[in-house]
Amino acid sequence: MPRPIGVHALAVVREAVSNAVRHSGAERVIVTVEADDDLLIDIVDDGIGIDLTLARSGLRNLDERAQECGGELVVRSEPRGGTRLSWRVPLV
């Protein structure tokens, strides 16, 4: 039986904010949560960006959580610096 989406969502916020604080050198981290047909967790920091070629065990875990819920994880460096992590899963 799959875990409830709320359990995954809490883990996603914890992991993503922890990564931003520990690895990005960011001064600000903005967490946005939207719920409609999908649950979107969007976490943006103003740090150094992300090198996706490095080990990504924590990100792999977030991706697996999204897939388990029928959703997706998108992580990218922002054009003006920093990183955006978007975790989206359907609610309907």
XYZ file of all heavy atoms in Angstrom:
695
model
N 0.837 -1.177 0.000
C 0.000 0.000 0.000
C 0.886 1.246 0.000
O 1.770 1.382 0.829
C -0.899 -0.014 1.228
C -1.705 1.228 1.409
S -2.668 1.112 2.931
C -4.000 2.143 2.516
N 0.674 2.164 -0.949
C 1.494 3.379 -0.989
C 1.258 4.267 0.226
O 0.186 4.275 0.798
C 1.037 4.091 -2.256
C -0.021 3.272 -2.861
C -0.286 2.087 -1.998
N 2.306 4.991 0.584
C 2.182 5.942 1.687
C 1.310 7.113 1.254
O 1.278 7.469 0.079
C 3.558 6.461 2.087
C 4.398 5.403 2.779
C 5.762 5.942 3.019
N 6.514 5.731 1.778
C 7.816 5.848 1.657
N 8.537 6.212 2.673
N 8.413 5.617 0.512
N 0.614 7.728 2.185
C -0.202 8.903 1.840
C 0.675 10.031 1.289
O 1.835 10.191 1.680
C -0.834 9.311 3.168
C -0.735 8.109 4.049
C 0.480 7.356 3.588
N 0.115 10.829 0.401
C 0.851 11.923 -0.226
C 1.409 12.880 0.825
O 2.522 13.382 0.683
C -0.048 12.662 -1.240
C -0.295 11.756 -2.444
C 0.572 13.984 -1.668
C -1.277 12.300 -3.451
N 0.672 13.122 1.905
C 1.151 14.036 2.946
C 2.464 13.597 3.567
O 3.310 14.434 3.889
N 2.642 12.296 3.722
C 3.903 11.769 4.270
C 5.047 12.094 3.317
O 6.122 12.543 3.722
C 3.794 10.248 4.514
C 5.138 9.651 4.889
C 2.754 9.958 5.590
N 4.809 11.879 2.018
C 5.816 12.201 1.014
C 6.095 13.702 0.985
O 7.249 14.125 0.932
C 5.349 11.760 -0.376
C 5.297 10.285 -0.550
N 6.416 9.490 -0.515
C 4.247 9.456 -0.784
C 6.062 8.229 -0.723
N 4.752 8.194 -0.882
N 5.046 14.509 1.011
C 5.197 15.957 0.912
C 6.055 16.502 2.055
O 6.939 17.341 1.833
C 3.830 16.627 0.896
N 5.817 16.052 3.255
C 6.612 16.494 4.401
C 8.079 16.116 4.223
O 8.978 16.931 4.462
C 6.052 15.903 5.697
C 6.741 16.327 6.983
C 6.716 17.832 7.151
C 6.081 15.646 8.175
N 8.336 14.902 3.774
C 9.708 14.457 3.545
C 10.386 15.277 2.448
O 11.576 15.602 2.549
C 9.726 12.972 3.182
N 9.633 15.633 1.415
C 10.171 16.437 0.324
C 10.594 17.814 0.834
O 11.700 18.283 0.547
C 9.142 16.567 -0.824
C 9.548 17.647 -1.813
C 8.970 15.231 -1.528
N 9.743 18.457 1.602
C 10.082 19.784 2.135
C 11.306 19.693 3.036
O 12.239 20.494 2.915
C 8.881 20.411 2.877
C 9.300 21.673 3.617
C 7.747 20.706 1.901
N 11.333 18.724 3.916
C 12.483 18.580 4.824
C 13.779 18.381 4.057
O 14.792 19.037 4.334
C 12.262 17.395 5.771
C 11.307 17.675 6.872
C 11.196 16.466 7.781
N 10.283 16.752 8.869
C 9.723 15.836 9.617
N 9.974 14.542 9.400
N 8.908 16.164 10.589
N 13.784 17.446 3.114
C 15.000 17.135 2.356
C 15.442 18.321 1.507
O 16.615 18.665 1.483
C 14.764 15.913 1.466
C 15.942 15.527 0.603
C 17.110 14.930 1.357
O 16.911 14.428 2.483
O 18.228 14.952 0.810
N 14.511 18.936 0.801
C 14.867 20.030 -0.098
C 15.383 21.243 0.667
O 16.382 21.861 0.270
C 13.671 20.405 -0.964
N 14.735 21.609 1.758
C 15.199 22.746 2.556
C 16.546 22.417 3.203
O 17.457 23.251 3.214
C 14.140 23.164 3.601
C 14.717 24.173 4.587
C 12.908 23.726 2.901
N 16.687 21.208 3.696
C 17.960 20.788 4.286
C 19.085 20.880 3.260
O 20.172 21.386 3.557
C 17.834 19.359 4.819
O 19.077 18.894 5.268
N 18.843 20.402 2.039
C 19.853 20.477 0.979
C 20.219 21.932 0.683
O 21.403 22.257 0.528
C 19.356 19.810 -0.305
C 19.399 18.305 -0.223
O 20.019 17.724 0.647
N 18.697 17.668 -1.145
N 19.215 22.788 0.581
C 19.481 24.196 0.282
C 20.321 24.839 1.375
O 21.277 25.562 1.093
C 18.165 24.950 0.094
N 19.992 24.564 2.613
C 20.717 25.158 3.742
C 22.149 24.627 3.814
O 23.099 25.387 4.018
C 19.967 24.895 5.068
C 20.814 25.260 6.268
C 18.648 25.656 5.080
N 22.325 23.332 3.607
C 23.651 22.720 3.775
C 24.573 22.909 2.579
O 25.791 22.989 2.756
C 23.525 21.224 4.057
C 23.000 20.928 5.449
C 22.984 19.454 5.762
N 22.019 18.808 4.866
C 22.159 17.594 4.370
N 23.210 16.877 4.649
N 21.234 17.080 3.587
N 24.027 22.953 1.361
C 24.890 22.868 0.186
C 24.908 24.092 -0.720
O 25.816 24.234 -1.521
C 24.485 21.664 -0.666
C 24.517 20.372 0.069
N 25.666 19.848 0.637
C 23.534 19.477 0.350
C 25.391 18.702 1.227
N 24.100 18.456 1.074
N 23.926 24.962 -0.637
C 23.802 25.996 -1.664
C 24.496 27.315 -1.339
O 24.745 28.103 -2.236
C 22.325 26.283 -1.934
O 21.768 27.064 -0.893
N 24.741 27.560 -0.065
C 25.262 28.868 0.321
C 24.219 29.963 0.203
O 24.545 31.140 0.134
N 22.960 29.579 0.172
C 21.863 30.533 -0.028
C 21.656 31.422 1.184
O 21.868 31.014 2.318
C 20.569 29.770 -0.323
N 21.221 32.636 0.900
C 20.776 33.532 1.953
C 19.277 33.407 2.166
O 18.775 33.685 3.244
C 21.124 34.981 1.597
C 22.606 35.247 1.628
C 22.934 36.699 1.372
O 22.059 37.568 1.562
O 24.083 36.968 0.994
N 18.545 33.013 1.093
C 17.095 32.870 1.189
C 16.654 31.564 0.549
O 17.193 31.145 -0.472
C 16.384 34.019 0.480
C 16.595 35.344 1.140
C 15.730 36.443 0.603
N 15.690 36.461 -0.859
C 14.780 37.092 -1.558
N 13.825 37.751 -0.948
N 14.807 37.100 -2.871
N 15.663 30.963 1.175
C 14.993 29.783 0.630
C 13.495 30.075 0.700
O 12.982 30.422 1.756
C 15.322 28.504 1.438
C 14.561 27.312 0.891
C 16.819 28.238 1.444
N 12.821 29.964 -0.432
C 11.387 30.232 -0.489
C 10.669 28.927 -0.785
O 10.973 28.251 -1.766
C 11.061 31.274 -1.581
C 11.770 32.594 -1.267
C 9.551 31.475 -1.698
C 11.733 33.585 -2.401
N 9.727 28.582 0.072
C 8.930 27.368 -0.082
C 7.502 27.788 -0.418
O 6.892 28.553 0.321
C 8.935 26.508 1.206
C 8.061 25.278 1.045
C 10.360 26.139 1.594
N 6.996 27.257 -1.537
C 5.622 27.527 -1.952
C 4.914 26.194 -2.116
O 5.455 25.272 -2.734
C 5.591 28.288 -3.295
O 6.387 29.466 -3.185
C 4.173 28.652 -3.686
N 3.709 26.102 -1.561
C 2.896 24.894 -1.699
C 1.550 25.304 -2.281
O 0.904 26.208 -1.760
C 2.704 24.178 -0.346
C 1.825 22.952 -0.497
C 4.055 23.824 0.269
N 1.169 24.646 -3.370
C -0.121 24.902 -4.009
C -0.861 23.573 -4.139
O -0.252 22.558 -4.487
C 0.074 25.498 -5.402
C 0.761 26.840 -5.414
C 1.012 27.349 -6.826
O 0.496 26.750 -7.796
O 1.737 28.340 -6.956
N -2.144 23.594 -3.872
C -2.963 22.383 -4.005
C -4.200 22.718 -4.825
O -4.961 23.620 -4.465
C -3.359 21.838 -2.641
N -4.359 22.007 -5.914
C -5.529 22.115 -6.776
C -5.749 20.699 -7.293
O -5.888 19.798 -6.476
C -5.272 23.133 -7.892
C -6.552 23.600 -8.565
O -7.625 23.031 -8.294
O -6.480 24.538 -9.378
N -5.739 20.502 -8.593
C -5.773 19.141 -9.120
C -4.472 18.417 -8.806
O -4.426 17.190 -8.730
C -5.998 19.144 -10.632
C -7.405 19.583 -11.008
O -8.293 19.585 -10.121
O -7.616 19.927 -12.182
N -3.395 19.197 -8.656
C -2.077 18.671 -8.287
C -1.629 19.314 -6.990
O -2.070 20.415 -6.648
C -1.028 19.012 -9.353
C -1.246 18.318 -10.674
O -1.938 17.281 -10.700
O -0.713 18.804 -11.691
N -0.726 18.633 -6.304
C -0.003 19.228 -5.191
C 1.357 19.625 -5.747
O 2.084 18.781 -6.287
C 0.174 18.228 -4.044
C 1.066 18.704 -2.896
C 0.453 19.920 -2.203
C 1.292 17.582 -1.900
N 1.692 20.908 -5.664
C 2.977 21.405 -6.132
C 3.743 21.950 -4.941
O 3.238 22.808 -4.205
C 2.795 22.516 -7.167
C 4.072 23.265 -7.555
C 5.082 22.340 -8.217
C 3.744 24.453 -8.434
N 4.942 21.438 -4.763
C 5.873 21.972 -3.774
C 7.028 22.550 -4.575
O 7.691 21.839 -5.327
C 6.371 20.884 -2.803
C 5.192 20.308 -2.015
C 7.446 21.451 -1.878
C 5.545 19.111 -1.168
N 7.223 23.853 -4.436
C 8.235 24.562 -5.200
C 9.188 25.206 -4.209
O 8.752 25.982 -3.342
C 7.540 25.623 -6.063
C 8.388 26.087 -7.210
O 8.930 25.241 -7.934
O 8.490 27.318 -7.390
N 10.469 24.874 -4.303
C 11.458 25.388 -3.362
C 12.569 26.053 -4.172
O 13.189 25.412 -5.018
C 12.001 24.269 -2.461
C 10.821 23.670 -1.671
C 13.098 24.795 -1.545
C 11.147 22.479 -0.845
N 12.769 27.339 -3.905
C 13.743 28.129 -4.654
C 14.732 28.736 -3.671
O 14.331 29.282 -2.639
C 13.037 29.253 -5.446
C 14.053 30.066 -6.237
C 11.962 28.692 -6.358
N 16.030 28.639 -4.012
C 17.039 29.297 -3.185
C 17.872 30.232 -4.062
O 17.814 30.155 -5.288
C 17.911 28.279 -2.446
C 18.824 27.480 -3.349
O 19.628 28.088 -4.084
O 18.757 26.239 -3.333
N 18.615 31.110 -3.420
C 19.459 32.060 -4.146
C 20.935 31.708 -4.003
O 21.802 32.562 -4.030
C 19.186 33.490 -3.676
C 19.558 33.727 -2.223
O 19.888 32.743 -1.509
O 19.506 34.883 -1.782
N 21.203 30.417 -3.902
C 22.570 29.945 -3.710
C 23.346 29.792 -5.001
O 23.069 30.452 -6.000
N 24.296 28.865 -4.993
C 25.243 28.705 -6.107
C 24.698 27.880 -7.267
O 25.369 27.726 -8.273
C 26.559 28.061 -5.609
C 26.293 26.674 -5.016
C 27.259 28.976 -4.629
C 27.533 25.888 -4.677
N 23.505 27.369 -7.148
C 22.975 26.503 -8.198
C 23.312 25.058 -7.897
O 23.916 24.741 -6.873
N 22.931 24.178 -8.803
C 23.136 22.752 -8.551
C 23.888 22.124 -9.704
O 23.655 22.438 -10.868
C 21.783 22.044 -8.319
C 22.004 20.607 -7.883
C 20.895 22.133 -9.544
C 20.778 19.957 -7.287
N 24.809 21.254 -9.371
C 25.530 20.468 -10.362
C 24.896 19.085 -10.371
O 25.124 18.280 -9.472
C 27.008 20.386 -10.002
C 27.826 19.620 -11.019
O 27.239 18.987 -11.930
O 29.066 19.653 -10.907
N 24.075 18.817 -11.374
C 23.338 17.555 -11.426
C 24.215 16.356 -11.742
O 23.755 15.224 -11.693
C 22.190 17.665 -12.431
C 21.089 18.635 -12.008
C 20.066 18.803 -13.122
C 20.410 18.172 -10.739
N 25.514 16.588 -12.036
C 26.407 15.455 -12.294
C 26.949 14.861 -10.993
O 27.507 13.771 -11.003
C 27.590 15.875 -13.188
O 28.373 16.862 -12.508
C 27.092 16.416 -14.517
N 26.785 15.585 -9.886
C 27.246 15.080 -8.592
C 26.267 14.051 -8.054
O 25.137 13.930 -8.512
C 27.389 16.233 -7.604
C 28.413 17.299 -7.966
C 28.401 18.419 -6.937
C 29.805 16.700 -8.090
N 26.692 13.324 -7.033
C 25.823 12.328 -6.394
C 24.511 12.974 -5.986
O 24.491 14.076 -5.460
C 26.528 11.738 -5.177
N 23.423 12.263 -6.237
C 22.115 12.851 -5.939
C 21.221 11.875 -5.201
O 20.069 11.706 -5.549
C 21.417 13.373 -7.174
C 21.874 12.934 -8.486
C 20.998 13.379 -9.624
N 19.585 13.091 -9.410
C 18.592 13.639 -10.054
N 18.814 14.489 -10.989
N 17.347 13.337 -9.810
N 21.751 11.233 -4.177
C 20.948 10.239 -3.459
C 19.695 10.852 -2.846
O 18.616 10.257 -2.902
C 21.786 9.544 -2.385
O 22.252 10.482 -1.439
N 19.799 12.045 -2.272
C 18.627 12.701 -1.696
C 17.621 13.072 -2.767
O 16.414 12.887 -2.603
N 18.112 13.576 -3.904
C 17.214 13.925 -4.997
C 16.585 12.682 -5.611
O 15.429 12.698 -6.017
C 17.954 14.729 -6.067
C 18.414 16.118 -5.647
C 19.164 16.788 -6.792
C 17.246 16.967 -5.200
N 17.346 11.609 -5.671
C 16.797 10.346 -6.187
C 15.621 9.893 -5.315
O 14.592 9.450 -5.810
C 17.883 9.280 -6.245
C 17.438 8.005 -6.905
C 18.553 6.984 -7.136
N 19.702 7.061 -6.257
C 20.879 7.593 -6.594
N 21.055 8.118 -7.780
N 21.881 7.605 -5.742
N 15.762 10.044 -4.014
C 14.696 9.696 -3.085
C 13.451 10.544 -3.345
O 12.329 10.030 -3.371
C 15.180 9.880 -1.640
C 14.118 9.592 -0.625
O 13.281 8.719 -0.783
N 14.133 10.362 0.451
N 13.620 11.846 -3.573
C 12.485 12.722 -3.855
C 11.828 12.357 -5.178
O 10.602 12.392 -5.304
C 12.930 14.183 -3.867
C 13.565 14.709 -2.577
C 13.837 16.194 -2.691
C 12.723 14.388 -1.367
N 12.649 11.994 -6.164
C 12.123 11.572 -7.450
C 11.311 10.286 -7.304
O 10.216 10.155 -7.865
C 13.269 11.377 -8.442
C 12.788 11.137 -9.856
O 11.839 11.821 -10.296
O 13.363 10.263 -10.530
N 11.822 9.337 -6.539
C 11.097 8.080 -6.313
C 9.773 8.327 -5.598
O 8.760 7.694 -5.911
C 11.969 7.106 -5.517
C 13.128 6.566 -6.317
C 14.137 5.797 -5.484
O 13.963 5.686 -4.241
O 15.121 5.317 -6.071
N 9.765 9.257 -4.661
C 8.522 9.603 -3.965
C 7.504 10.185 -4.944
O 6.324 9.856 -4.884
C 8.790 10.592 -2.829
C 9.501 9.993 -1.637
C 9.808 11.069 -0.595
N 10.479 10.524 0.560
C 9.872 9.923 1.584
N 8.563 9.803 1.603
N 10.574 9.466 2.598
N 7.962 11.049 -5.836
C 7.061 11.623 -6.840
C 6.505 10.530 -7.748
O 5.294 10.472 -7.998
C 7.789 12.679 -7.665
N 7.363 9.651 -8.220
C 6.931 8.577 -9.109
C 5.946 7.644 -8.418
O 4.975 7.195 -9.036
C 8.140 7.802 -9.628
C 8.957 8.611 -10.608
C 10.155 7.844 -11.114
O 10.138 6.625 -11.205
N 11.216 8.563 -11.445
N 6.186 7.360 -7.151
C 5.275 6.494 -6.392
C 3.864 7.078 -6.342
O 2.874 6.345 -6.289
C 5.812 6.291 -4.969
C 4.996 5.327 -4.142
C 5.572 5.092 -2.761
O 6.819 5.025 -2.626
O 4.781 4.972 -1.804
N 3.784 8.408 -6.402
C 2.490 9.096 -6.355
C 1.985 9.476 -7.744
O 1.000 10.209 -7.869
C 2.606 10.353 -5.499
S 3.008 10.043 -3.771
N 2.672 9.022 -8.789
C 2.257 9.343 -10.152
C 2.649 10.732 -10.599
O 2.043 11.297 -11.508
N 3.669 11.300 -9.974
C 4.077 12.669 -10.287
C 5.488 12.756 -10.808
O 6.038 11.789 -11.332
N 6.083 13.943 -10.639
C 7.435 14.165 -11.158
C 8.200 15.155 -10.293
O 7.614 15.969 -9.578
C 7.379 14.699 -12.589
C 6.797 16.094 -12.696
C 6.819 16.640 -14.114
O 7.409 16.009 -15.006
O 6.228 17.708 -14.325
N 9.501 15.061 -10.403
C 10.425 15.989 -9.757
C 11.228 16.674 -10.852
O 11.751 15.997 -11.746
C 11.380 15.248 -8.817
C 12.526 16.074 -8.237
C 12.007 17.074 -7.214
C 13.588 15.179 -7.621
N 11.319 18.003 -10.781
C 12.155 18.763 -11.704
C 13.086 19.623 -10.863
O 12.625 20.361 -9.979
C 11.310 19.656 -12.641
C 12.208 20.503 -13.534
C 10.353 18.806 -13.466
N 14.389 19.517 -11.127
C 15.391 20.312 -10.414
C 16.257 20.997 -11.458
O 16.740 20.346 -12.391
C 16.272 19.428 -9.507
C 17.287 20.278 -8.757
C 15.427 18.621 -8.531
N 16.440 22.296 -11.293
C 17.268 23.013 -12.261
C 17.896 24.241 -11.604
O 17.365 24.788 -10.630
C 16.455 23.423 -13.468
C 15.383 24.441 -13.173
C 14.658 24.892 -14.449
N 13.783 25.997 -14.191
C 12.518 25.903 -13.818
N 11.972 24.716 -13.658
N 11.797 26.972 -13.603
N 19.002 24.664 -12.173
C 19.604 25.928 -11.765
C 18.801 27.051 -12.389
O 18.322 26.942 -13.521
C 21.060 26.009 -12.231
O 21.859 25.130 -11.489
N 18.650 28.118 -11.656
C 17.918 29.285 -12.129
C 18.849 30.180 -12.948
O 20.051 30.248 -12.669
C 17.357 30.073 -10.943
C 16.224 29.358 -10.223
C 14.959 29.341 -11.062
O 14.158 30.276 -10.957
O 14.784 28.376 -11.830
N 18.321 30.878 -13.943
C 19.160 31.719 -14.808
C 19.962 32.782 -14.044
O 21.076 33.102 -14.428
C 18.151 32.392 -15.750
C 16.949 31.514 -15.724
C 16.927 30.865 -14.368
N 19.410 33.309 -12.964
C 20.107 34.357 -12.202
C 20.815 33.808 -10.971
O 21.185 34.548 -10.072
C 19.115 35.429 -11.779
C 18.537 36.151 -12.960
C 17.619 37.245 -12.537
N 17.031 37.864 -13.700
C 16.398 39.005 -13.689
N 16.264 39.657 -12.562
N 15.894 39.492 -14.792
N 20.980 32.490 -10.898
C 21.630 31.855 -9.767
C 20.614 31.168 -8.880
O 19.432 31.494 -8.900
N 21.081 30.219 -8.135
C 20.200 29.481 -7.251
C 19.633 28.242 -7.916
O 19.967 27.901 -9.050
N 18.759 27.580 -7.184
C 18.169 26.313 -7.632
C 16.671 26.352 -7.408
O 16.197 26.915 -6.425
C 18.777 25.135 -6.839
O 20.185 25.127 -7.043
C 18.189 23.799 -7.256
N 15.937 25.743 -8.320
C 14.491 25.552 -8.170
C 14.215 24.057 -8.187
O 14.617 23.346 -9.103
C 13.707 26.223 -9.277
C 12.192 25.965 -9.174
C 11.420 26.660 -10.275
N 11.596 28.099 -10.214
C 10.787 28.933 -9.552
N 9.733 28.477 -8.900
N 11.026 30.227 -9.541
N 13.533 23.581 -7.154
C 13.073 22.202 -7.066
C 11.553 22.235 -7.096
O 10.938 22.920 -6.267
C 13.579 21.561 -5.773
C 13.180 20.114 -5.532
C 14.291 19.382 -4.795
C 11.880 19.990 -4.756
N 10.970 21.541 -8.058
C 9.514 21.475 -8.176
C 9.087 20.019 -8.101
O 9.513 19.191 -8.918
C 9.057 22.086 -9.501
O 9.390 23.450 -9.560
N 8.256 19.712 -7.127
C 7.753 18.365 -6.893
C 6.241 18.422 -7.074
O 5.572 19.166 -6.365
C 8.119 17.924 -5.477
C 7.907 16.501 -5.131
C 8.763 15.464 -5.361
C 6.774 15.928 -4.445
N 8.236 14.308 -4.855
C 7.015 14.558 -4.294
C 5.594 16.464 -3.940
C 6.112 13.709 -3.661
C 4.698 15.622 -3.321
C 4.967 14.256 -3.187
N 5.736 17.705 -8.074
C 4.319 17.789 -8.413
C 3.733 16.383 -8.476
O 4.274 15.506 -9.139
C 4.144 18.479 -9.756
C 2.701 18.598 -10.209
C 2.594 19.219 -11.589
N 3.201 20.526 -11.683
C 2.579 21.676 -11.467
N 1.304 21.698 -11.149
N 3.213 22.824 -11.597
N 2.596 16.212 -7.788
C 1.863 14.939 -7.839
C 0.360 15.229 -7.979
O -0.126 16.236 -7.476
C 2.125 14.063 -6.590
C 3.593 13.677 -6.483
C 1.657 14.742 -5.327
N -0.344 14.353 -8.685
C -1.782 14.581 -8.850
C -2.538 14.294 -7.553
O -2.207 13.393 -6.806
C -2.175 13.589 -9.949
C -1.131 12.529 -9.896
C 0.114 13.176 -9.412
N -3.591 15.090 -7.321
C -4.461 14.877 -6.165
C -5.789 14.265 -6.584
O -6.549 13.797 -5.742
C -4.712 16.192 -5.430
C -3.504 16.796 -4.720
C -3.860 18.152 -4.128
C -2.976 15.855 -3.655
N -6.111 14.324 -7.868
C -7.378 13.748 -8.357
C -7.091 12.653 -9.352
O -6.065 12.537 -9.926
C -8.291 14.814 -8.998
C -8.759 15.778 -7.938
C -7.605 15.538 -10.130
